[in-house]
């Protein structure tokens, strides 16, 4: 039998293909077959009791996994808050040395007030994208004044920002791994899937980046 996917003969999309994260939560549903399955187990009594215990354990497991997702999301929020603090410090240092755009300072202050509490995943992504924009403005100002490169405190702020960007990437990867585990587990029939369906659980959406960041990634950097 030939390989279903043959990388040697194609078909191949010569133009390539971009991918996007689908912003949709899919509810878990079970059919009549699952109900019949449970009824048959209870007819035999002992298997029904065993399956009930398994469902209790599955419910506990899924609740704990939800807390793990919250923990991972909180880690991202913590790093975002640190980036805002560093951004604020860098902007203040630049403002002392040059006439920095006052609109930039106003925006920095606004993000500082909301740092660490972005809300849902979409708001978290938007917050980080806006922080990236503001750091871009600070970097532009920084590059326009070469003498500032010798300013040790400013250099430290930019170095800390670079470090935190890497930490945010790692935290997002951990978050996505936990989301993937959740999405896989709630579809595991019979026990977890039946529990998830009765609890009204849905799939969760992994981290996604903005269209603007994707467009920048296609640009020339060197």
């Amino acid at each position: 039998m030939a390989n279903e996917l043959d990388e040697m003969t194609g078909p191949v999309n010569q133009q390539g293909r971009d991918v996007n994260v689908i912003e949709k939560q899919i509810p878990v549903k079970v059919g009549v077959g699952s109900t019949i399955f449970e009824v048959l187990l209870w007819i035999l009594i002992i298997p029904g009791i065993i399956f009930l215990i398994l469902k209790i354990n599955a419910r506990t497991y899924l609740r704990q996994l939800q807390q793990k997702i919250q923990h991972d999301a909180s880690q991202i929020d913590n790093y975002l808050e640190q980036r805002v603090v560093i951004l604020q410090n860098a902007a203040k240092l630049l403002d002392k040395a040059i006439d920095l755009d006052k609109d930039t300072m106003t925006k920095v202050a606004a993000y500082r007030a909301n740092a660490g509490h972005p809300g849902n995943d979409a708001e978290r992504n938007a917050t980080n994208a806006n922080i990236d924009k503001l750091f871009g403005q600070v970097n532009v100002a920084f590059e326009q004044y070469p003498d500032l490169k010798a300013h040790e405190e400013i250099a430290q702020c930019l170095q800390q920002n670079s470090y935190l960007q890497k930490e945010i990437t790692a935290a997002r990867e951990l978050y996505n791994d936990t989301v993937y585990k959740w999405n896989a587990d709630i579809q595991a029939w019979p026990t977890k899937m039946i529990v998830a369906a009765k609890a009204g659980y849905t799939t969760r959406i992994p981290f996604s980046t903005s269209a603007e960041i994707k467009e920048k990634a296609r640009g020339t950097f060197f």
Side-chain angles (χ1 to χ4, degrees):
M1 181 178 177
N3 293 330
E4 290 86 354
L5 301 176
D6 189 347
E7 66 276 12
M8 303 302 295
T9 59
V12 177
N13 184 351
Q14 300 294 343
Q15 286 73 42
R17 181 188 297 276
D18 201 355
V19 295
N20 297 288
V21 175
I22 306 302
E23 193 80 8
K24 182 179 181 180
Q25 291 180 306
I26 303 173
V28 181
K29 296 180 180 180
V30 291
V32 179
S34 295
T35 303
I36 296 174
F37 171 77
E38 289 195 79
V39 170
L40 290 176
L41 290 179
W42 278 111
I43 290 175
L44 300 173
I45 300 178
I46 293 179
I49 295 174
I50 294 174
F51 190 65
L52 176 61
I53 295 173
L54 291 175
K55 287 196 297 182
I56 293 172
N57 291 337
R59 186 178 299 111
T60 301
Y61 167 79
L62 291 176
R63 286 174 177 171
Q64 291 174 344
L65 192 56
Q66 282 195 100
Q67 293 302 316
K68 176 69 165 57
I69 292 174
Q70 288 295 305
H71 169 77
D72 293 345
S74 176
Q75 286 292 94
I76 299 174
D77 293 347
N78 288 339
Y79 288 128
L80 286 175
E81 182 174 8
Q82 290 180 53
R83 281 198 72 198
V84 173
V85 172
I86 292 171
L87 173 61
Q88 184 182 40
N89 293 339
K92 284 183 178 179
L93 290 169
L94 284 173
D95 194 44
K96 290 180 180 179
I98 61 176
D99 185 19
L100 188 64
D101 184 359
K102 297 305 177 184
D103 182 56
T104 299
M105 294 295 294
T106 301
K107 290 178 180 178
V108 170
Y111 282 116
R112 178 69 183 96
N114 296 322
H117 309 284
N120 58 33
D121 292 341
E123 292 173 350
R124 184 177 293 110
N125 293 344
T127 297
N128 192 61
N130 287 324
I131 293 172
D132 284 339
K133 290 180 184 178
L134 290 177
F135 259 111
Q137 294 176 26
V138 170
N139 278 328
V140 168
F142 183 71
E143 292 297 330
Q144 288 176 343
Y145 295 84
D147 292 342
L148 290 178
K149 292 183 178 180
H151 198 304
E152 184 178 353
E153 290 178 317
I154 294 177
Q156 287 179 351
C157 283
L158 296 179
Q159 185 177 10
Q160 289 172 348
N161 173 61
S162 178
Y163 165 77
L164 285 173
Q165 282 181 302
K166 295 177 182 178
E167 290 297 316
I168 289 172
T169 299
R172 285 171 176 163
E173 186 67 26
L174 181 61
Y175 173 80
N176 280 353
D177 286 344
T178 310
V179 166
Y180 170 77
K181 186 169 183 59
W182 169 270
N183 291 342
D185 283 344
I186 61 175
Q187 299 292 341
W189 192 88
T191 312
K192 292 174 184 174
M193 191 172 183
I194 291 175
V195 168
K198 289 183 178 179
Y201 291 152
T202 68
T203 58
R204 293 174 182 266
I205 303 168
F207 167 78
S208 60
T209 192
S210 65
E212 183 179 0
I213 296 298
K214 286 186 176 182
E215 188 62 32
K216 287 183 178 180
R218 299 186 184 96
T220 302
F221 294 92
F222 303 102

